[in-house]
């Protein structure tokens, strides 16, 4: 059985005061004894303090990106060892905003994935097609290419210690969610690609859906057989909304 995971990606939002009230509101609202694992990914400067606010709550801490290099003259970058040192367990790699706005290509995403695992961080590998690609019938080829670029470097075994997030770019921050059936179709394809290489890992790897997840659509998305939770942007900035999404994951 795959344990559901609901991750909040705060992106470049928040302040010390806002984060404190968001986290305390969320911790008040999260229902104890639920099966789903919860993860918060604040911006770098707030990682340590958010980690302190989450102490003993069972909610995990993650970062939104990581440098592929381990240390050295890389101004402005943050290493996997640093993320580990401040209490992160997870890190997003290959988020579409990194790919589209900051020029991260498949090869770099693969190196970041490796750097994260080198410090025992769990990478959340984000994949997904643009609207143009979907309309051009390229969803499967784009998502497969993004996945294969990592698998070619790491081998399938690495996915035993990773999470995949399918985030159609056209659904991110647009209010336009993939239908549960549209998402399920891609999730099943991803799982089949992994299972072709290793059936056990194909069955156990968690695949999250991301793109305009909200309380009103989370439950029907999470009910699909190959959707194991969500990667939530905008709706993770509101404690009550995010808590309801978490509750929807079981
Ligand atoms: P959204 O973002 O929920 O605001 O669409 C999801 C993401 O980019 O991870």
């Amino acid at each position: 059985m795959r344990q559901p995971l609901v991750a909040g990606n705060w992106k470049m939002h928040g302040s010390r005061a806002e984060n404190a009230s968001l986290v305390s509101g969320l911790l008040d609202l999260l229902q104890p004894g639920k099966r789903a694992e919860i993860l918060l990914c604040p911006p770098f400067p707030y990682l340590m303090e958010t980690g302190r606010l989450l102490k003993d709550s069972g909610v995990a801490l993650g970062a939104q990106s990581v440098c592929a290099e381990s240390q050295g003259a890389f101004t402005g970058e943050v290493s996997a060892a640093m993320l580990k040192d401040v209490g992160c367990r997870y890190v997003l790699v290959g988020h579409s905003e990194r790919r589209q706005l900051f020029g991260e290509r498949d090869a770099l995403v693969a190196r970041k994935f490796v750097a994260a695992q080198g410090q025992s961080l769990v990478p959340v590998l984000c994949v997904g097609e643009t609207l143009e690609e979907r309309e051009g019938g390229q969803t499967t080829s784009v998502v497969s290419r993004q996945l294969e670029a990592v698998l070619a470097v790491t081998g399938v075994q690495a996915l035993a210690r990773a999470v995949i997030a399918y985030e159609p770019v056209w659904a991110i921050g647009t209010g336009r969610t993939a239908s549960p059936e549209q998402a399920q179709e891609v999730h099943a394809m991803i799982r089949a690609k992994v299972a072709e290489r290793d059936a056990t890992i194909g069955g156990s790897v968690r695949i999250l859906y991301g793109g305009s997840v909200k309380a009103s659509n989370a439950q029907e998305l999470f009910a699909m057989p190959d959707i194991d939770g969500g990667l939530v942007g905008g709706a993770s900035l509101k404690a009550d909304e995010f808590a309801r999404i978490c509750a929807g994951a079981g």
Side-chain angles (χ1 to χ4, degrees):
M1 271 314 272
R2 299 184 296 267
Q3 184 187 20
L5 171 64
V6 181
N9 171 13
W10 291 0
K11 308 194 179 185
M12 198 169 72
H13 293 288
S15 65
R16 296 180 65 198
E18 284 167 356
N19 303 345
S21 84
L22 175 55
V23 171
S24 80
L26 183 64
L27 294 181
D28 283 347
L29 291 167
L30 284 178
Q31 298 164 11
K34 288 292 216 174
R35 205 161 67 88
E37 185 181 1
I38 314 297
L39 163 66
L40 296 182
C41 301
F44 290 135
Y46 300 129
L47 282 169
M48 272 188 78
E49 196 163 74
T50 306
R52 272 196 290 270
L53 295 168
L54 292 175
K55 194 168 180 297
D56 300 327
S57 68
V59 175
L61 184 69
Q64 299 173 16
S65 186
V66 63
C67 185
E69 307 295 338
S70 59
Q71 66 170 345
F74 301 103
T75 302
E77 292 293 297
V78 175
S79 72
M82 292 171 186
L83 298 180
K84 185 80 185 169
D85 195 28
V86 299
C88 289
R89 289 201 5 234
Y90 289 86
V91 61
L92 309 184
V93 297
H95 189 280
S96 68
E97 286 151 17
R98 302 297 318 169
R99 293 179 190 262
Q100 297 211 306
L101 305 174
F102 300 96
E104 293 189 10
R105 312 292 291 264
D106 289 337
L108 179 61
V109 173
R111 291 179 58 229
K112 290 183 174 217
F113 185 106
V114 170
Q117 288 197 329
Q119 292 295 327
S120 307
L121 294 167
V122 177
V124 179
L125 172 65
C126 304
V127 296
E129 82 288 0
T130 63
L131 184 59
E132 205 184 354
E133 288 162 343
R134 172 161 284 260
E135 288 175 344
Q138 294 174 295
T139 301
T140 299
S141 66
V142 168
V143 170
S144 305
R145 188 205 73 222
Q146 292 170 337
L147 183 64
E148 301 286 336
V150 172
L151 289 180
V153 172
T154 64
V156 69
Q157 296 301 327
L159 286 185
R161 294 171 289 116
V163 173
I164 299 171
Y166 169 58
E167 298 205 303
V169 179
W170 47 273
I172 295 179
T174 59
R176 189 177 160 189
T177 320
S179 70
E181 294 73 23
Q182 278 175 323
Q184 166 60 26
E185 190 183 354
V186 180
H187 281 233
M189 180 276 289
I190 293 171
R191 194 176 301 289
K193 292 257 171 231
V194 178
E196 266 170 30
R197 290 176 147 85
D198 186 301
T200 306
I201 296 174
S204 64
V205 67
R206 291 184 290 181
I207 309 176
L208 313 183
Y209 169 78
S212 298
V213 174
K214 14 184 201 285
S216 58
N217 60 25
Q219 219 163 345
E220 55 174 11
L221 284 160
F222 300 164
M224 301 311 278
D226 290 299
I227 301 184
D228 305 310
L231 178 53
V232 185
S236 72
L237 299 171
K238 296 175 219 135
D240 56 341
E241 182 84 9
F242 190 61
R244 282 193 287 146
I245 294 170
C246 294

